[in-house]
Amino acid sequence: MDKRKILEVKNLKVFYKTSMGDVRAVDNIDFFLRSGETLGLVGESGCGKTTTGTALLKMPSPPGYIAGGKIILDGEDIIPISETEIRKRIRWEKISMVFQGAMNCLTPVYTIGKLMMETLQTHRPMDKEKAKKIIVKYLNYVGLPDHIMSRYPHELSGGMKQRVVIATSLFLEPKVVICDEPTTALDVVVQAQIINLLKELKEKLNLSFIFITHDLATEAEVSDRIQVMYAGKIAEIGTNQQIYGEQGPMHPYTKRLLAATPRLHEEVEELAFIPGTPPDLIDPPRGCRFHLRCNEVMEKCKTEVPPLELVEEDHYVACWRCTKNAE
Amino acid sequence: MQNDKKRDVIFKIENLQKWFPVKRTMSEVFSGEKRFVKAVDGVSFDIMRGEIFGLVGESGCGKTTTGKLIMKLLDPTGGKIIFNGKDSTHLDKNDLKDYRERVQMIFQDPYASMNPRFRIKDVLEEVLIIHKKGNDKKERLEMVEKALSEVRLQPPHEYMERFPHMLSGGQRQRAATARSLILNPLMIVADEPVSMIDLSTRAEILHMMKTVQRELGLTYLYITHDLSTARYFTDKIAVMYLGKIVEMGTPDEVIDNPLHPYTQALISAVCEPIAGKVNRIKEVPIKGEVPNATDIPEGCRFHTRCPYTGEVCEKGEDPLIQDDGGEHFVACFKYKNLK
């Protein structure tokens, strides 16, 4: 695999302005994405995974704003670039996104062909015939026949609409595609079909994916590396093998989240769960953000924030129990 | 023991049907033709007392409609519902109130199923007022307190004064469960009770529901699309496809030894948190999506997507559901040759 880092995020902070103070939705996170790999972002709702995704396109949803950090895409920091420039060169050209629920937001009065044409011609003014050819090519890539172009969204099934959205995110040939819960609203059989499609496209078009979901089981199927987030911070990053393999994850949060995921072919008398709820991010707790719900808490966790440290190759953990300087 | 349990049927559903009429085109109006969405098309099953019965399937398979028919929120087009030995297919107003006292429902969305202007105690007390329970307010509030402690919202008086928005998703679903318990029902219909709840608390809610069920000897109808939680939570699973049950049995039988090709496909499609599957394409034997319920295929309704389809499957009637032995039912012409 190509080991080049196509995307690098350093000290990224994304806050939401509210009358009660800033909600620190993403608070000082560092990670990278290698060319040709899928990185899974996983965590409970409100942990900052979608916020991270939209920030990477430099379009945090208001009242959110990027409060600091660097987003280095293909060797270039995109934070200082002006909005017009971003639209022209970066967004959709180099990095695109399949938004959560986008398949239900296709304009109902446009045909699929017109919808896709609009996106394409805004970026690449070209004659209709040529544009049509490109659209057909990408529709075929995602496994849809040509005549879909003349259909309206309501005539398509959920899986077909999701395929249209994926095709739309691809035809400007971006290098990085962010998929936000692309399979959550779909039935299991269709879910598996979309997952297979993403795997095929990754090979065929040499794409790098960021796959956002709350479901650890889906993540095991698609992601080469998994990044677990909790309350706006990264708890653990590890390879598929490190998180789901024999040895299992290291961070107590990942361990317990995995234990709470039901398995189909295993008889369990009682599923584990994590008591309590994630903290308020306007005034996050001191120390480790997970310490209030953690069963392995130490004195140090209550006062000092654990840094994200490399514990073995490709395995990063932010927990005082796992770092080398643990007492 | 087994035989005793067998006879203690709390719900007997016989050939239940619900057809929704479709808006007709002008030519259909003149020709007198009628079209229907056959959401539930001949479903039969028994629910034993003290059992958790799971109804699983993809969206549009009719599982929620079945739940609504059992709740009497919809009137069936055909078939029978026998509850506690009494035919409850059609009920008048008084009987219906009586019925609802004993059959309660937990809805999918704990955010939408509570009035945001009511405090939790009002949400729960309202049920008692409607059903004329308790002599005065004091007595009713005691019942509210008891119901809240049953679902482990401790201490109850602290939660009683709160508004729904002041609770987390998990706490809200607990309060919703308390609301359905307050009338001491025999049976609870739970339609996707945990699908909107975060993973870390999902197991907690299921665990609480199971504990309450055991303590109070309740019967559940658990409706879900999620086979993994169904396996953990239920005593019996029925798999639905396009308005019919295709397979039914204990979770161990249905999930570890599926007989119907549709169940086999569903199970192969479920994602599991196991390492080493990233670079493999997942084998799912069936293609396409569920056909439109206005236009159900002739013969076995699954034959258009079935990898094993043959001549017997494509014409005539649906295959009947039959016992393969050991209370494992399957509706397929060819299942014996698939093994």
Side-chain angles (χ1 to χ4, degrees):
Chain A
M1 196 199 286
D2 188 357
K3 286 269 181 184
R4 203 170 61 91
K5 290 175 188 173
I6 182 106
L7 175 75
E8 226 181 329
V9 172
K10 287 180 179 164
N11 305 326
L12 182 69
K13 285 182 198 166
V14 188
F15 297 167
Y16 289 93
K17 269 203 179 90
T18 70
S19 54
M20 323 259 288
D22 279 355
V23 177
R24 307 168 78 91
V26 171
D27 200 1
N28 227 343
I29 63 168
D30 295 84
F31 67 93
F32 60 84
L33 175 70
R34 292 199 184 101
S35 170
E37 77 168 355
T38 304
L39 175 71
L41 280 193
V42 67
E44 291 173 76
S45 42
C47 75
K49 25 183 219 308
T50 299
T51 307
T52 309
T54 48
L56 292 178
L57 280 127
K58 226 193 146 191
M59 46 188 292
S61 48
Y65 66 99
I66 297 176
K70 278 182 178 161
I71 298 170
I72 300 163
L73 179 67
D74 212 9
E76 179 186 23
D77 186 2
I78 63 166
I79 301 252
I81 301 177
S82 72
E83 179 64 20
T84 27
E85 190 89 337
I86 289 266
R87 282 192 185 179
K88 215 183 269 170
R89 290 199 298 121
I90 309 285
R91 200 177 292 150
W92 239 252
E93 298 271 349
K94 278 190 177 172
I95 184 165
S96 67
M97 186 158 177
V98 174
F99 292 96
Q100 178 167 18
M103 59 183 236
N104 298 323
C105 304
L106 299 172
T107 314
V109 292
Y110 280 12
T111 59
I112 299 300
K114 190 170 178 193
L115 267 167
M116 293 178 76
M117 187 81 79
E118 195 179 66
T119 315
L120 186 56
Q121 290 206 321
T122 316
H123 281 268
R124 307 268 162 87
M126 60 173 80
D127 64 80
K128 261 197 169 163
E129 281 313 302
K130 214 173 150 198
K132 252 184 193 162
K133 266 192 195 134
I134 294 178
I135 291 172
V136 167
K137 185 173 124 194
Y138 278 91
L139 282 175
N140 293 342
Y141 271 152
V142 297
L144 292 174
D146 302 5
H147 66 81
I148 290 292
M149 275 188 73
S150 52
R151 292 291 160 86
Y152 286 92
H154 75 267
E155 296 176 289
L156 308 185
S157 67
M160 287 156 102
K161 278 190 272 184
Q162 190 62 276
R163 282 169 199 265
V164 168
V165 173
I166 292 170
T168 314
S169 74
L170 292 178
F171 56 37
L172 300 178
E173 296 167 2
K175 294 185 168 136
V176 180
V177 180
I178 304 166
C179 297
D180 190 2
E181 306 265 14
T183 60
T184 312
L186 302 170
D187 283 316
V188 270
V189 175
V190 186
Q191 217 170 57
Q193 290 164 355
I194 296 290
I195 287 174
N196 282 343
L197 172 69
L198 292 175
K199 285 182 188 176
E200 282 165 18
L201 290 171
K202 187 173 112 181
E203 284 291 308
K204 207 189 268 173
L205 306 173
N206 192 27
L207 294 167
S208 316
F209 280 109
I210 292 183
F211 193 93
I212 302 174
T213 175
H214 66 278
D215 184 10
L216 273 167
T218 317
E219 214 65 276
E221 300 268 355
V222 279
S223 301
D224 299 293
R225 290 191 305 127
I226 287 89
Q227 170 171 327
V228 184
M229 292 185 69
Y230 183 76
K233 288 219 172 264
I234 296 172
E236 183 164 7
I237 308 177
T239 61
N240 196 291
Q241 190 61 40
Q242 281 159 353
I243 302 286
Y244 299 102
E246 284 284 304
Q247 181 200 344
M250 292 176 82
H251 197 286
Y253 177 61
T254 324
K255 277 189 215 165
R256 301 184 73 187
L257 203 58
L258 198 57
T261 310
R263 285 155 200 251
L264 191 57
H265 291 290
E266 236 170 70
E267 184 73 49
V268 257
E269 205 23 63
E270 220 167 87
L271 269 182
F273 57 83
I274 312 175
T277 45
D280 176 11
L281 293 180
I282 291 179
D283 184 23
R286 262 158 67 83
C288 173
R289 292 198 176 171
F290 186 58
H291 85 258
L292 294 169
R293 300 170 80 190
C294 184
N295 55 345
E296 298 176 40
V297 64
M298 305 185 296
E299 270 314 304
K300 197 175 185 182
C301 309
K302 293 176 188 165
T303 48
E304 287 174 61
V305 182
L308 189 68
E309 277 189 20
L310 189 68
V311 286
E312 55 182 319
E313 201 196 346
D314 271 344
H315 199 169
Y316 299 81
V317 184
C319 174
W320 286 121
R321 285 227 175 249
C322 311
T323 53
K324 281 168 236 143
N325 348 332
E327 285 125 292
Chain B
M1 172 71 200
Q2 192 63 38
N3 266 335
D4 276 338
K5 219 180 162 189
K6 226 181 215 173
R7 265 183 252 118
D8 198 4
V9 177
I10 187 163
F11 251 108
K12 196 170 183 61
I13 309 295
E14 279 174 21
N15 202 19
L16 196 65
Q17 287 178 321
K18 180 70 195 176
W19 294 3
F20 295 102
V22 182
K23 215 174 179 181
R24 293 185 284 180
T25 60
M26 207 41 109
S27 67
E28 278 167 344
V29 172
F30 286 122
S31 67
E33 207 180 302
K34 274 186 182 167
R35 282 191 302 146
F36 295 96
V37 172
K38 296 178 179 174
V40 176
D41 196 17
V43 162
S44 310
F45 56 86
D46 296 345
I47 303 178
M48 308 293 166
R49 199 180 296 274
E51 172 179 73
I52 303 180
F53 189 93
L55 209 50
V56 302
E58 294 179 89
S59 44
C61 74
K63 52 187 194 305
T64 296
T65 311
T66 309
K68 283 186 178 161
L69 287 168
I70 289 178
M71 259 328 285
K72 313 277 327 148
L73 293 169
L74 290 171
D75 263 334
T77 315
K80 261 186 186 170
I81 299 170
I82 297 161
F83 172 60
N84 232 354
K86 193 180 157 218
D87 188 342
S88 310
T89 321
H90 301 284
L91 296 172
D92 63 33
K93 219 176 159 190
N94 283 332
D95 285 344
L96 189 62
K97 207 164 170 183
D98 216 37
Y99 179 88
R100 293 235 173 96
E101 201 178 314
R102 291 189 282 160
V103 183
Q104 280 282 316
M105 185 155 188
I106 301 173
F107 295 93
Q108 177 172 9
D109 189 348
Y111 297 85
S113 63
M114 273 182 207
N115 190 332
R117 287 163 177 269
F118 277 25
R119 289 174 196 275
I120 297 299
K121 64 172 182 192
D122 304 323
V123 171
L124 270 80
E125 196 197 346
E126 200 191 15
V127 184
L128 297 171
I129 295 170
I130 290 170
H131 285 275
K132 301 196 175 68
K133 300 282 156 181
N135 295 322
D136 50 26
K137 191 156 180 118
K138 194 169 154 262
E139 201 174 308
R140 286 196 295 266
L141 287 180
E142 271 165 20
M143 290 160 90
V144 169
E145 221 173 299
K146 187 171 153 264
L148 287 174
S149 44
E150 263 163 7
V151 298
R152 313 286 182 284
L153 279 176
Q154 302 281 19
H157 53 85
E158 199 173 289
Y159 289 97
M160 281 165 77
E161 296 302 323
R162 295 201 196 171
F163 286 100
H165 74 264
M166 296 157 90
L167 303 182
S168 70
Q171 288 168 342
R172 227 177 290 197
Q173 200 59 298
R174 277 168 193 268
T177 310
R179 176 173 60 183
S180 66
L181 289 174
I182 203 162
L183 292 170
N184 293 321
L186 293 170
M187 164 95 187
I188 288 183
V189 177
D191 189 358
E192 303 267 16
V194 292
S195 70
M196 305 268 294
I197 292 170
D198 254 317
L199 191 67
S200 70
T201 33
R202 192 176 287 182
E204 192 182 357
I205 296 295
L206 287 176
H207 181 67
M208 178 273 294
M209 286 178 67
K210 216 170 183 170
T211 319
V212 169
Q213 185 250 349
R214 283 195 195 127
E215 279 173 8
L216 306 177
L218 295 170
T219 308
Y220 285 154
L221 174 67
Y222 177 65
I223 300 170
T224 185
H225 68 280
D226 182 0
L227 279 162
S228 316
T229 58
R231 158 126 220 198
Y232 159 74
F233 192 62
T234 61
D235 300 315
K236 201 185 258 176
I237 290 182
V239 181
M240 281 187 81
Y241 182 77
L242 267 183
K244 256 199 182 335
I245 291 178
V246 295
E247 187 162 0
M248 182 159 67
T250 60
D252 291 357
E253 278 288 322
V254 173
I255 287 169
D256 291 336
N257 179 28
L259 298 173
H260 198 281
Y262 176 64
T263 320
Q264 290 169 0
L266 266 190
I267 286 166
S268 72
V270 174
C271 294
E272 283 198 272
I274 298 166
K277 293 195 288 189
V278 212
N279 297 315
R280 262 187 289 144
I281 294 286
K282 201 168 187 149
E283 296 279 346
V284 181
I286 62 175
K287 292 196 174 60
E289 292 178 42
V290 187
N292 195 329
T294 47
D295 193 16
I296 289 174
E298 206 190 330
C300 171
R301 54 193 65 205
F302 183 59
H303 87 257
T304 49
R305 297 170 80 199
C306 183
Y308 310 107
T309 180
E311 246 173 78
V312 263
C313 311
E314 283 159 26
K315 283 198 186 80
E317 290 292 305
D318 272 299
L320 291 172
I321 193 153
Q322 49 181 308
D323 198 346
D324 181 56
E327 301 260 307
H328 188 170
F329 297 89
V330 60
C332 175
F333 290 119
K334 299 174 83 180
Y335 80 95
K336 279 202 173 115
N337 310 330
L338 304 180
K339 282 181 189 170

